[in-house]
Amino acid sequence: MISGWKMGADRMSNGWRALVLVLLCAAAPAWAFDLNELMGLLAKKKQGEGTFTEQRYVHGLEGPLSASGTLSFVAPDQMTRRTLTPRPESMVVDGNNLTLTRGNRTRSMALDSMPELLGMVEAMRGTLSGNGAVLQRYFRSTLKGSSGDWTLDLEPIDERLSAQVASMRLSGKGGEVLGVEMEFRGGDRSVMTIVPQRGGAAGSTQAPAGRTTP
């Protein structure tokens, strides 16, 4: 009788173990890497510098247009892109102000006067600063992967932005953005690779082989 009781207790114990495993498996999605966790990782980095190489695939042209240069960011809303090749030019964003410089010509304007450009800038600033509210204002987002290797797909909500940009994909590791891909309406595509600068100012880079941007 004791043996029978013990066998019954073992079965009950095994049953509880199985139940616990089922509950743990059911709860696992709640612990998955999500947008709030990614934004928290990104928000820890208040500033950064790096180099970039960009390939722009233009519908009707053979081979990509290439560019390279430096990027810098200071939270919450300052961002600078300096193109070094094929020729020097810069884009400086500070709050709602955008300044473009090419050669001896400089042009300044308000970002909110160009909603389609504002959306693309906010996608970058929102991600770099870990501001999920800004991203959700302009995009529907889908996050894949883990904190060590993630991709964030963005689909424009704003009609004026959506008329220009079909989608954006940002990728990275931890709190660093390492890649930006954009699909434009009409078939054009841009692929940017970012190399974070550690322990010094961002330096110049050589453009990959291929056509150069006009």
Side-chain angles (χ1 to χ4, degrees):
M1 182 172 179
I2 294 176
S3 176
W5 178 86
K6 183 177 180 182
M7 290 177 61
D10 287 343
R11 291 194 187 99
M12 183 176 294
S13 177
N14 290 334
W16 277 110
R17 290 193 191 102
L19 179 59
V20 169
L21 287 173
V22 169
L23 291 174
L24 286 174
C25 290
W31 302 334
F33 185 58
D34 61 18
L35 186 62
N36 287 335
E37 187 175 350
L38 173 60
M39 292 296 106
L41 289 173
L42 293 163
K44 292 178 181 178
K45 194 166 185 178
K46 302 303 181 184
Q47 63 181 35
E49 294 183 336
T51 59
F52 76 87
T53 55
E54 182 181 34
Q55 304 288 302
R56 177 80 178 254
Y57 299 86
V58 179
H59 183 68
L61 291 181
E62 292 186 7
L65 305 175
S66 302
S68 64
T70 65
L71 295 170
S72 63
F73 172 76
V74 178
D77 57 8
Q78 295 181 18
M79 186 172 66
T80 301
R81 167 179 163 144
R82 299 191 187 280
T83 301
L84 302 176
T85 61
R87 60 169 173 262
E89 58 185 38
S90 68
M91 180 185 76
V92 180
V93 180
D94 187 354
N96 190 45
N97 299 314
L98 170 67
T99 302
L100 300 172
T101 302
R102 175 180 289 183
N104 296 323
R105 295 178 297 174
T106 297
R107 181 186 178 191
S108 297
M109 62 199 79
L111 267 177
D112 57 13
S113 67
M114 297 174 294
E116 64 281 0
L117 182 56
L118 174 62
M120 287 188 284
V121 169
E122 292 292 40
M124 282 297 296
R125 289 198 301 197
T127 303
L128 289 169
S129 64
N131 192 332
V134 168
L135 283 181
Q136 292 173 344
R137 187 185 309 159
Y138 293 95
F139 301 92
R140 281 183 288 270
S141 61
T142 302
L143 178 63
K144 300 176 183 177
S146 66
S147 60
D149 188 8
W150 52 265
T151 59
L152 179 62
D153 291 318
L154 302 175
E155 180 184 352
I157 296 174
D158 183 88
E159 291 183 1
R160 290 166 293 189
L161 176 59
S162 181
Q164 303 292 327
V165 179
S167 65
M168 297 180 68
R169 168 172 285 184
L170 295 99
S171 57
K173 297 180 183 297
E176 294 183 324
V177 178
L178 303 178
V180 181
E181 298 181 32
M182 289 191 287
E183 297 278 352
F184 298 92
R185 301 296 182 188
D188 292 0
R189 183 166 65 95
S190 171
V191 180
M192 179 188 292
T193 300
I194 302 170
V195 179
Q197 193 75 16
R198 298 181 178 89
S204 62
T205 60
Q206 291 293 322
R211 297 170 61 96
T212 55
T213 52

